[in-house]
Amino acid sequence: QDIAMRTTRELILKDGCPKDKFAFEQIMMPVIENRLRQLSELQVKLCAGNGLPCPKMFILKEAGDTWRHPTNWGRNNLHLYFVCSHSGQMVTDKARITLKYSTEWLRSIAPALKASLEKIDLKIDVLPDDRETFHEWVEKLMDEDQRRLFEELKSNTGDISANTSALQTLVGNALSYVAERAAATNITWQSEMTPVLDHVTNEPTFVLNEYASIPAYTSPL
């Protein structure tokens, strides 16, 4: 009902109110039915075994104001920020995930972090020269088979962010560890981001709330 009312308001504002019931059914009902179908597709994708438990894009920073290369991390906590796939903006500090440094956990999320860095090009406040060393650090966290898979995907497609089942499985498994820690630590990010269906890729993703209603996405809101 909420979806129908919202869609109706949008159509009335755009084209004016239909003069009779027949016009309403002919003009508005197909739009409402299409919106419901898109939402159903989003729900299926989010609930699938290889669905999206949390945003694919995120970055890690060491707590504190001074940048240190990750090889020197260990004494301080880490902050995980989810990133909007539309704008590249991070969630606020209120919604960040605070973590204790753990090499074992970092290894478990390494494939997801690698894929994320490729998408957002390491959007953190560091010197350009540090970007390559950061990527190298992430690759060292991965095992040989994982590195080989990324290299094969890159050589075959020219872009490791390509939509392949192998990459989806690898990143999806790693994201489950991120989602688990996020759920146990701070769920405030869920109030700042919305899961949507991207019409270009036909895949679910997360965007900041302000972008959820643009035509490129179908949102459950």
Side-chain angles (χ1 to χ4, degrees):
Q1 183 180 12
D2 290 341
I3 295 169
M5 291 177 61
R6 177 181 173 185
T7 304
T8 300
R9 285 196 298 268
E10 291 175 354
L11 290 171
I12 289 175
L13 287 173
K14 179 181 178 182
D15 301 320
C17 184
K19 296 181 179 180
D20 53 41
K21 180 180 178 181
F22 176 78
F24 176 85
E25 292 179 348
Q26 291 295 310
I27 297 173
M28 294 191 175
M29 287 308 297
V31 178
I32 294 174
E33 290 172 356
N34 184 59
R35 172 86 51 99
L36 290 171
R37 178 185 58 77
Q38 292 174 334
L39 290 172
S40 178
E41 291 178 2
L42 173 61
Q43 182 181 30
V44 169
K45 289 178 178 291
L46 289 173
C47 295
N50 61 345
L52 192 59
C54 66
K56 291 181 180 180
M57 296 170 59
F58 62 94
I59 63 173
L60 287 174
K61 298 176 65 177
E62 186 182 32
D65 298 328
T66 303
W67 161 257
R68 295 197 307 161
H69 189 270
T71 54
N72 298 318
W73 289 357
R75 293 179 308 196
N76 300 326
N77 287 336
L78 302 180
H79 290 152
L80 185 150
Y81 292 83
F82 288 121
V83 176
C84 170
S85 65
H86 178 81
S87 67
Q89 295 173 266
M90 300 185 300
V91 295
T92 64
D93 286 348
K94 182 180 178 181
R96 70 189 180 192
I97 313 300
T98 300
L99 311 159
K100 289 185 178 181
Y101 182 90
S102 167
T103 302
E104 181 180 356
W105 185 78
L106 288 171
R107 290 187 185 281
S108 69
I109 71 162
L113 181 56
K114 171 72 172 176
S116 177
L117 293 180
E118 292 292 335
K119 290 177 179 295
I120 64 178
D121 192 28
L122 198 57
K123 292 181 180 294
I124 56 179
D125 188 19
V126 298
L127 296 174
D129 291 344
D130 286 322
R131 299 191 180 200
E132 286 302 319
T133 52
F134 198 101
H135 278 277
E136 291 173 2
W137 171 75
V138 173
E139 290 188 2
K140 289 179 180 178
L141 289 173
M142 297 190 295
D143 61 37
E144 185 177 347
D145 290 338
Q146 292 171 339
R147 287 194 294 269
R148 184 184 304 114
L149 176 59
F150 273 89
E151 286 301 320
E152 289 176 353
L153 289 170
K154 191 171 184 178
S155 62
N156 291 338
T157 66
D159 178 7
I160 67 170
S161 64
N163 185 17
T164 67
S165 59
L167 183 61
Q168 282 185 328
T169 300
L170 182 63
V171 173
N173 290 339
L175 274 176
S176 66
Y177 292 101
V178 177
E180 180 182 16
R181 190 63 61 89
T185 306
N186 184 3
I187 61 172
T188 305
W189 67 269
Q190 296 178 10
S191 67
E192 297 189 10
M193 305 191 79
T194 300
V196 296
L197 184 68
D198 188 324
H199 295 171
V200 175
T201 64
N202 197 34
E203 291 294 332
T205 188
F206 281 83
V207 298
L208 291 175
N209 295 338
E210 61 192 277
Y211 302 110
S213 60
I214 65 176
Y217 306 118
T218 294
S219 156
L221 296 179

